[in-house]
Amino acid sequence: MKKIIFLIISVLICSLALSGKDGTEPFETNAITENIEVLYASNFYKFQAEVNSLVKLTSNSNSSSELKAIKTQVEKTRLVYKKIEFIFDYYQTFYNGTYINGAPLPKVSEYYEEGKIIEPSGLQALDEAVNEEASIENIEYIKKLATELKAHVDYASEIHLPIRIKSSQVIECMRSGMVRIFTLGVTGFDTPGSVNALKESYVSLQSMETAFLYFEEDIQPKAKSKFRSIKKHFKKGKKILSDNVSFNDFDRMTFLKEVINPLYAELLAFQNLNKITLEPYKKHAQNYKAVNLFQSDFLDTKFYSELVYLPLDNPKTIQLGALLFKDTKLSNGNIMSCVSCHDPNKGFTDGLPKSLANKKGFYTSRNSPTVINSGYASRYFWDLRSYDLERQVGHVIDNDLEFNTTFKAIVKKLKTNPNYLKLFKDAYGGIDKQDINERSISNAIAAYVNSLKSFDSPFDKYVRNESNDYPKDALRGFNLFMGKAACGTCHFAPMFNGTVPPFYLETESEVLGVTQGFDTINPKLDTDMGRYANGLDIDKQPYFRNSFKTVSVRNIALTAPYMHNGSFNTLEEVLEFYNLGGGAGMGLEVENQTLSDAPLDLTTQEIKDIIAFMESLTDTSSFKTDLDY
């Protein structure tokens, strides 16, 4: 259903929002937004002109010797794009991510021509292609990418301009732009070939600064000091990004604490002080009123659970769900509960490579992941087969290796318990003929799982300026995680999972080439097909073979062993696997591996530092005694 909603939204975007033109209602405007609209249109046309120049250059290129000139033009084109990205991506997220600046991987379109396979296209694909080994074949591929990009940009130009923007939306564009710079910019995600991350991030920040300065034309007296403070933070951010420092040496922690988080908070404060109404255009998972990227409510799980039986933040359903979570009556033979595989004392995992099944001597097919912070995703299970937390419960109920029962049988058991009768009536009375039913059971468990949130780790407190005590090795590890080691290009901040910023609409999976056990001498590829075999027709694509959900590394110190098959016993083994370039880097034939097979060249100390950072993400303070152990 979530996918259907997004499809409807995307159609509306194409027909109305993409055009940016007036609808039937009057659109209030002012000199500030008019100036920003004019600037935006001018930069968009400059971007279009650079794309045209790129096409002309590639069409006249017939040898690999001309790749250098093409590479220069791609860089120039991308830099001009960065001037419009914070607005264009806000209004045209799906179109942008599919055709203009999507990751250089094939994807199944869930929003345009649903089910259609879309080959890599756009600026990221070009960035990667022009930085690969020169060849005639590569030149032809670059020509194709450039031609397709021109068609998509020309289409956007025709129906997207002129754009109409409200003041509140400009500020939200900038705040989301801050998230984008930190999560996709300085991490190198957006520049997979050139690693031109700092230069591009500078242009992005400068473009947002230019737009913000137009607000000086009409400032409320109370907002003037905040305006000056924001100007200083923009200036500081540009200085940090323009300092002569390499990508690997860039201090992302300082940039986060002294530029990104302050700007994210102060832009909202300025909006309030300047009496600009809170009326965001875009529906997304960011909580518009949050003031820090690592604040506990920065993302709102309600976004991922819109179609549930009852909202998942109901205290009564959460309490009921906690009881159900530990009740063995939910399983066939009364021998298993959710706690059997998700033990609070083990970070809501079970400490086993693969979980014990309800049949003696049998194990489930995969490792039990933590359910802490699991509500911050649009897809669930290792193979992404479920679209919400409620339906996830059903997969466990009828799995013959897990609960191996039916909701009908569970309802019958629960109705014999007077306490459950009362609790279900209090929580769900009057919604259906029967208070205890499949939806109410699923909703209660989902509500409890959704309540398991962890945002008070030593790392979180440090980046929120609630503590000055943070280990130096962990600080170095954070900078490595978000930079040289490229962990942050798949485990996106702030959840450090695969839900994609800056709007956190979709959850990704990756092909890593995970092995059967950790054997670097004679490695064998794990045979689990993952997402490819999840039963959903849309995911039965060759590039989803051996593809698994990117889970959070929060509380990872508590959840060994690791990977979908529990093959790696320690974090040292996990980091060494990545350091070698995954399965392909270890010499295996891994079809469509999304992890680079190039060695990361991490030193022993760097690996220790990254582990120190991940260990600093540990926090179980809010639910240690939830289940009365």
Side-chain angles (χ1 to χ4, degrees):
M1 290 298 294
K2 177 73 69 176
K3 181 173 63 178
I4 294 173
I5 290 173
F6 281 155
L7 181 59
I8 293 171
I9 291 173
S10 68
V11 170
L12 292 174
I13 286 174
C14 283
S15 61
L16 293 174
L18 186 64
S19 69
K21 296 179 173 65
D22 293 332
T24 56
E25 297 182 2
F27 194 102
E28 294 183 8
T29 187
N30 57 52
I32 295 171
T33 55
E34 285 178 355
N35 285 332
I36 293 173
E37 289 163 4
V38 170
L39 175 66
Y40 174 76
S42 174
N43 284 331
F44 194 102
Y45 290 131
K46 288 177 182 176
F47 169 56
Q48 188 176 24
E50 295 298 342
V51 172
N52 291 337
S53 296
L54 176 63
V55 171
K56 184 177 180 180
L57 181 61
T58 57
S59 64
N60 294 327
S61 299
N62 297 306
S63 68
S64 57
S65 63
E66 296 167 298
L67 184 60
K68 183 177 180 180
I70 296 174
K71 184 176 178 180
T72 299
Q73 181 58 35
V74 167
E75 179 180 337
K76 187 177 180 183
T77 303
R78 286 183 57 86
L79 288 173
V80 176
Y81 165 75
K82 288 297 171 180
K83 294 181 178 182
I84 66 168
E85 182 181 37
F86 75 104
I87 292 178
F88 184 70
D89 192 39
Y90 175 82
Y91 285 98
Q92 309 305 333
T93 305
F94 298 124
Y95 191 81
N96 182 49
T98 303
Y99 299 116
I100 306 300
N101 195 39
L105 297 168
K107 64 187 296 184
V108 177
S109 175
E110 298 188 34
Y111 313 106
Y112 300 100
E113 300 177 76
E114 184 177 0
K116 176 185 176 183
I117 299 175
I118 300 175
E119 294 300 323
S121 63
L123 293 167
Q124 283 195 42
L126 279 163
D127 184 82
E128 187 172 72
V130 297
N131 285 282
E132 290 181 348
E133 186 176 348
S135 67
I136 297 300
E137 292 77 12
N138 194 30
I139 291 293
E140 291 302 315
Y141 178 56
I142 293 168
K143 285 182 182 181
K144 176 177 177 292
L145 290 174
T147 301
E148 291 174 347
L149 178 62
K150 173 178 166 53
H152 294 136
V153 172
D154 287 348
Y155 172 75
S157 175
E158 289 176 7
I159 61 178
H160 173 57
L161 298 176
I163 190 172
R164 303 302 300 275
I165 309 175
K166 292 184 178 181
S167 296
S168 61
Q169 294 161 8
V170 173
I171 293 177
E172 187 173 1
C173 284
M174 289 187 285
R175 297 184 79 217
S176 296
M178 298 303 159
V179 179
R180 182 184 296 104
I181 285 177
F182 187 70
T183 58
L184 304 180
V186 298
T187 61
F189 174 91
D190 204 27
T191 49
S194 66
V195 198
N196 196 27
L198 303 185
K199 189 173 182 179
E200 290 195 1
S201 295
Y202 178 94
V203 173
S204 295
L205 191 68
Q206 184 181 50
S207 181
M208 287 184 273
E209 176 192 41
T210 301
F212 175 74
L213 292 178
Y214 282 115
F215 283 97
E216 192 167 17
E217 297 178 16
D218 183 19
I219 301 182
Q220 296 289 325
K222 291 182 179 180
K224 288 184 177 180
S225 63
K226 190 61 63 178
F227 181 85
R228 291 192 294 270
S229 178
I230 291 172
K231 283 176 63 176
K232 289 179 181 178
H233 281 110
F234 271 120
K235 184 178 180 180
K236 185 170 188 176
K238 290 193 300 179
K239 182 181 184 305
I240 291 175
L241 288 168
S242 61
D243 283 346
N244 188 22
V245 64
S246 70
F247 175 84
N248 287 347
D249 292 332
F250 183 71
D251 188 346
R252 290 160 180 83
M253 180 66 83
T254 295
F255 188 61
L256 171 65
K257 293 191 67 175
E258 298 185 9
V259 177
I260 295 297
N261 272 334
L263 279 172
Y264 191 79
E266 292 193 345
L267 283 166
L268 178 61
F270 172 80
Q271 179 171 348
N272 292 330
L273 291 169
N274 211 40
K275 297 182 179 180
I276 299 173
T277 306
L278 292 171
E279 47 180 353
Y281 158 84
K282 187 171 186 62
K283 182 175 180 59
H284 54 76
Q286 282 184 47
N287 171 18
Y288 190 67
K289 295 182 180 181
V291 296
N292 189 294
L293 271 66
F294 292 91
Q295 187 175 321
S296 60
D297 63 350
F298 171 73
L299 295 181
D300 188 352
T301 57
K302 288 182 180 179
F303 175 82
Y304 305 107
S305 58
E306 289 181 311
L307 303 178
V308 293
Y309 196 55
L310 276 184
L312 299 185
D313 59 353
N314 186 323
K316 290 183 178 180
T317 61
I318 293 172
Q319 181 184 14
L320 174 55
L323 290 176
L324 293 170
F325 195 82
K326 65 178 180 179
D327 198 333
T328 58
K329 291 187 183 70
L330 272 63
S331 67
N332 184 19
N334 301 336
I335 59 175
M336 291 184 73
S337 70
C338 300
V339 171
S340 300
C341 299
H342 302 286
D343 184 345
N345 297 312
K346 297 177 180 178
F348 284 88
T349 64
D350 57 17
L352 300 172
K354 295 179 181 178
S355 300
L356 286 169
N358 63 6
K359 297 179 182 179
K360 189 174 181 179
F362 286 81
Y363 292 85
T364 60
S365 58
R366 292 176 184 142
N367 177 261
S368 176
T370 182
V371 293
I372 301 172
N373 293 329
S374 60
Y376 297 96
S378 61
R379 301 278 290 268
Y380 301 90
F381 290 108
W382 280 108
D383 58 13
L384 278 72
R385 66 184 181 272
S386 182
Y387 281 89
D388 63 54
L389 281 173
E390 271 191 358
R391 281 182 281 187
Q392 180 177 256
V393 175
H395 287 271
V396 177
I397 298 295
D398 62 15
N399 188 305
D400 60 356
L401 291 176
E402 297 183 61
F403 285 6
N404 190 28
T405 187
T406 64
F407 278 104
K408 184 178 180 180
I410 294 173
V411 169
K412 185 176 180 180
K413 289 181 184 179
L414 297 181
K415 281 184 175 180
T416 65
N417 185 312
N419 187 43
Y420 274 131
L421 287 172
K422 180 180 183 303
L423 290 173
F424 271 95
K425 182 177 181 179
D426 288 346
Y428 300 102
I431 298 177
D432 205 320
K433 293 180 180 179
Q434 299 293 328
D435 299 333
I436 304 179
N437 57 59
E438 178 177 339
R439 288 298 302 275
S440 61
I441 293 169
S442 297
N443 180 263
I445 296 173
Y448 173 67
V449 170
N450 188 69
S451 74
L452 300 175
K453 298 175 181 179
S454 172
F455 295 98
D456 280 320
S457 69
F459 168 82
D460 293 306
K461 292 177 180 178
Y462 180 70
V463 295
R464 293 197 300 256
N465 297 317
E466 296 169 7
S467 170
N468 293 322
D469 184 20
Y470 192 64
K472 290 183 179 179
D473 56 350
L475 194 153
R476 294 194 302 267
F478 171 76
N479 281 327
L480 287 162
F481 187 97
M482 299 295 284
K484 176 182 176 181
C487 311
T489 61
C490 293
H491 295 274
F492 302 109
M495 297 311 307
F496 299 112
N497 67 1
T499 306
V500 186
F503 304 115
Y504 302 92
L505 305 177
E506 299 177 278
T507 299
E508 286 190 342
S509 64
E510 301 288 344
V511 180
L512 305 176
V514 175
T515 55
Q516 300 176 32
F518 186 64
D519 185 348
T520 59
I521 307 301
N522 297 299
K524 293 182 180 179
L525 186 66
D526 188 81
T527 57
D528 192 331
M529 288 289 101
R531 187 172 179 179
Y532 176 81
N534 67 9
L536 301 177
D537 290 340
I538 196 170
D539 286 343
K540 199 173 181 61
Q541 310 295 340
Y543 52 88
F544 285 146
R545 288 194 181 104
N546 307 111
S547 186
F548 295 92
K549 182 178 179 178
T550 303
V551 296
S552 176
V553 299
R554 285 181 173 271
N555 293 296
I556 197 169
L558 307 175
T559 61
Y562 305 105
M563 302 301 189
H564 70 275
N565 57 3
S567 282
F568 301 164
N569 293 315
T570 66
L571 290 174
E572 285 79 6
E573 289 183 353
V574 173
L575 266 293
E576 184 60 25
F577 173 77
Y578 282 105
N579 201 26
L580 292 170
M586 295 165 71
L588 298 175
E589 289 189 20
V590 185
E591 187 177 3
N592 298 307
Q593 180 168 304
T594 54
L595 173 70
S596 172
D597 60 2
L600 293 172
D601 294 325
L602 296 172
T603 66
T604 300
Q605 184 59 54
E606 287 175 331
I607 288 175
K608 289 180 180 179
D609 290 345
I610 294 170
I611 292 174
F613 159 65
M614 291 194 292
E615 289 175 341
S616 79
L617 291 171
T618 303
D619 166 42
T620 59
S621 58
S622 63
F623 40 75
K624 279 184 177 178
T625 59
D626 272 359
L627 300 182
D628 298 323
Y629 280 97

